[in-house]
Amino acid sequence: TEYFSRMRKFQNYLNSKADKEKPLNLIFQHFFGEKEMRSNQESEMQSVKINVKDGGKERYEWLNIECCRYCSISKVFHININWVVCSGCKVG
């Protein structure tokens, strides 16, 4: 479906920017003849860390993205994006 195609593009984009050791791995479920997800699968989350280049400043920035592992056309997909900024003069 078009929805899954766009979600795969989203996954590929995030994985191209993320740490290579822990990529996102979305599991696509159509639910046409497949069993419904168990409630623990619906809430199973995964996360990926993306380093953000700051243009030469002495500051570290990264995105921590947490999202559902299972992607279905019949369920809500949750995604949390946290932008973390850390500066040596502020930490101590």
Side-chain angles (χ1 to χ4, degrees):
T1 67
E2 184 178 345
Y3 174 74
F4 287 144
S5 174
R6 289 177 184 226
M7 290 303 289
R8 280 189 185 94
K9 282 183 179 180
F10 177 66
Q11 173 183 282
N12 291 339
Y13 176 76
L14 291 178
N15 284 338
S16 74
K17 304 292 183 186
D19 291 341
K20 304 301 179 206
E21 299 165 1
K22 195 176 173 187
L24 285 180
N25 184 22
L26 297 178
I27 298 170
F28 298 96
Q29 294 187 326
H30 296 270
F31 294 130
F32 300 115
E34 296 180 35
K35 288 185 178 180
E36 284 286 328
M37 281 189 284
R38 297 185 309 269
S39 62
N40 64 337
Q41 287 179 323
E42 289 179 9
S43 61
E44 188 176 334
M45 302 291 278
Q46 61 183 330
S47 64
V48 66
K49 179 180 165 185
I50 299 175
N51 291 318
V52 179
K53 296 185 178 171
D54 62 356
K57 298 176 187 169
E58 293 185 22
R59 180 169 72 182
Y60 296 99
E61 297 181 26
W62 61 91
L63 296 174
N64 187 33
I65 299 175
E66 183 180 47
C67 64
C68 294
R69 180 172 303 281
Y70 292 87
C71 182
S72 167
I73 57 174
S74 64
K75 303 286 182 183
V76 173
F77 184 81
H78 298 274
I79 182 166
N80 300 318
I81 301 173
N82 296 303
W83 181 10
V84 182
V85 179
C86 183
S87 175
C89 64
K90 305 279 184 199
V91 177

